[in-house]
Amino acid sequence: MAVATLGAAGQAAAQNNAPIKVGFMLPATGTFANLGAMIENGFKMHVDEQGGKLAGREVQYFKVDDESDPAKATDNVNKLIKRDQVDVLVGTVHSGVALAMAKVARETGTLLIVPNAGADVITGAMCAKNIFRTSFSNWQPAFAMGKVAAERGHKRAMTITWNYAAGNESVKGFTEGFEKGGGKVSDNLTLPFPNVEYQALLTQIASQKPDAVYAFFAGGGAVKFVKDYVAAGLNKTIPLYGPGFLTDGTLEAQGEAAQGMLTTLHYADNLNTPRDNAFRLAFAKAFKTNADVYAVQGYDAAQLLATGLKAVNGDISKRDQLQEAMRKAKIDSPRGTFSLSAAQNPVQDIYLRQVNGKNNEVKGVAIKSLADPARGCKM
Ligand code: PHB
């Protein structure tokens, strides 16, 4: 066998020349399919900008379609870890699936970068030195929207979402911000993920007439919800708010229905910084579509990995050093520079945005440098 003749130093060198194996566990089908594609494209774009290599090492991709199905999540993540023997897991969109990934990452020590799913406990009670997130916690944009809704003078709100980790945590974050500002959430309506039969719930909103509605939906489900809300005529009297997922990557399909909507998120379409303009131009050229928050989160996952790899000269076996460098990284993100909290979740500005045409235009900063409380995180 060739390696037998190499000796320890030679073996290390051979290892260092082997490609870094990146395992994408993302949705390729279902209501979040487009979100998965944007994350993957964003990640690859950063690697391509580095000449296809990170810290001198080629990058090899492995993929599974997680179908946003928590029941299949453990099997799927094990395909990447055991079958493909990836060096790093990148995933996913759906909080329930991501929770299973984080559990396996904790058990196996596999390096995990979460490029979307907001499940609070991933950088809360489940936090670990090998688990990083380049997106948000569900609490972050939700809490900011609650604060904004209260400041806008709304007193009584209803919430509506899919009944799963992300929806429930988003509603909880909103409620915390809104009630802190003097508002009251009177009812939480839910339907199972990924159902889009909203009519019965919209009828309940119409009959209860709250001052405002807060909704967490994303992807295909968000497109239909915003359209159904307007078709039911509710937007005329009851303003609809949400975290920016409600209108991000969806405006093409939502068209007229989304116009004027206010949302909060860690990204917006016209930040008009040199960094973001360059990113958006390159992304549009490469993928013939406009970048959105998911593309940014994928891009930043690659930037974070690159930062770690550079610190160890590409030797991913130096895990402590790599993770330490990742933890301390300052990411030059299209959203604005961010650093990671002790729980390894972004500390970032949450923008207030308003839909204008096909853009979520920035109106201001709802909360500056917002850190997730990371409840229960001990590292
Ligand atoms: C989640 O499940 O955490 C999730 C999914 C889609 C989003 C945001 C959060 O756009």
Side-chain angles (χ1 to χ4, degrees):
M1 221 167 93
V3 278
T5 62
L6 279 176
Q11 280 186 36
Q15 274 280 309
N16 281 345
N17 287 330
I20 296 282
K21 295 175 156 195
V22 172
F24 285 125
M25 179 151 152
L26 292 166
T29 51
T31 199
F32 291 158
N34 193 46
L35 286 57
M38 294 300 270
I39 290 167
E40 183 178 334
N41 288 343
F43 191 101
K44 288 182 169 168
M45 189 172 105
H46 181 69
V47 174
D48 290 346
E49 285 175 355
Q50 308 303 303
K53 290 185 179 179
L54 296 182
R57 292 186 64 178
E58 300 277 350
V59 178
Q60 188 179 5
Y61 298 108
F62 296 82
K63 287 205 305 193
V64 294
D65 173 8
D66 68 37
E67 303 171 50
S68 295
D69 185 350
K72 297 181 183 160
T74 303
D75 280 351
N76 279 331
V77 73
N78 279 324
K79 280 183 199 155
L80 291 169
I81 295 177
K82 295 196 178 131
R83 182 190 67 194
D84 302 331
Q85 308 212 313
V86 300
D87 296 304
V88 51
L89 289 167
V90 176
T92 185
V93 171
H94 183 287
S95 273
V97 177
L99 286 168
M101 292 180 79
K103 184 163 180 284
V104 176
R106 280 172 67 96
E107 285 163 5
T108 59
T110 311
L111 183 61
L112 168 64
I113 304 177
V114 179
N116 184 69
D120 292 337
V121 296
I122 291 176
T123 55
M126 291 180 83
C127 73
K129 288 199 188 309
N130 58 315
I131 299 179
F132 294 84
R133 182 151 54 192
T134 58
S135 50
F136 58 91
S137 72
N138 288 320
W139 180 89
Q140 283 177 307
F143 179 79
M145 191 74 249
K147 176 177 176 271
V148 169
E151 282 167 3
R152 291 176 63 78
H154 301 303
K155 294 291 176 223
R156 191 170 66 88
M158 284 175 78
T159 65
I160 177 166
T161 188
W162 285 311
N163 186 11
Y164 83 117
N168 296 330
E169 290 176 354
S170 187
V171 161
K172 214 168 145 207
F174 171 81
T175 303
E176 190 184 326
F178 189 57
E179 299 198 339
K180 202 173 153 193
K184 180 80 198 145
V185 172
S186 63
D187 274 285
N188 300 316
L189 308 180
T190 62
L191 71 170
F193 176 87
N195 288 11
V196 292
E197 305 312 318
Y198 302 122
Q199 279 314 324
L201 301 175
L202 292 174
T203 304
Q204 284 189 50
I205 293 171
S207 73
Q208 296 191 32
K209 300 188 178 56
D211 302 330
V213 168
Y214 175 83
F216 171 92
F217 294 105
V223 170
K224 182 159 188 296
F225 182 76
V226 169
K227 287 179 133 181
D228 285 4
Y229 195 86
V230 168
L234 290 172
N235 63 316
K236 293 198 191 104
T237 49
I238 311 169
L240 173 62
Y241 299 104
F245 316 115
L246 202 54
T247 58
D248 229 86
T250 54
L251 291 176
E252 199 85 42
Q254 287 164 333
E256 207 39 49
Q259 297 307 307
M261 277 182 61
L262 291 170
T263 61
T264 45
L265 202 63
H266 47 288
Y267 189 58
D269 288 318
N270 65 331
L271 294 176
N272 205 17
T273 58
R275 179 70 178 103
D276 189 47
N277 290 346
F279 166 77
R280 292 183 74 90
L281 188 65
F283 192 90
K285 265 195 192 157
F287 304 108
K288 314 285 174 253
T289 182
N290 286 329
D292 61 13
V293 69
Y294 308 105
V296 171
Q297 293 168 169
Y299 186 82
D300 290 344
Q303 293 209 79
L304 180 61
L305 178 62
T307 304
L309 284 169
K310 276 179 203 147
V312 294
N313 280 319
D315 183 356
I316 202 165
S317 71
K318 293 188 174 144
R319 281 289 295 281
D320 288 351
Q321 240 179 295
L322 175 109
Q323 287 169 185
E324 173 83 0
M326 288 172 71
R327 157 73 190 85
K328 291 192 176 144
K330 285 230 172 323
I331 300 296
D332 182 18
S333 171
R335 77 188 83 170
T337 304
F338 71 85
S339 53
L340 296 178
S341 66
Q344 307 188 159
N345 185 65
V347 178
Q348 55 195 342
D349 294 349
I350 305 294
Y351 302 104
L352 175 64
R353 310 115 44 91
Q354 184 162 37
V355 176
N356 184 7
K358 288 179 183 161
N359 284 325
N360 287 286
E361 289 185 351
V362 65
K363 289 280 138 197
V365 175
I367 304 184
K368 183 116 198 95
S369 300
L370 185 62
D372 180 86
R375 291 166 185 135
C377 169
K378 288 186 202 74
M379 262 203 250

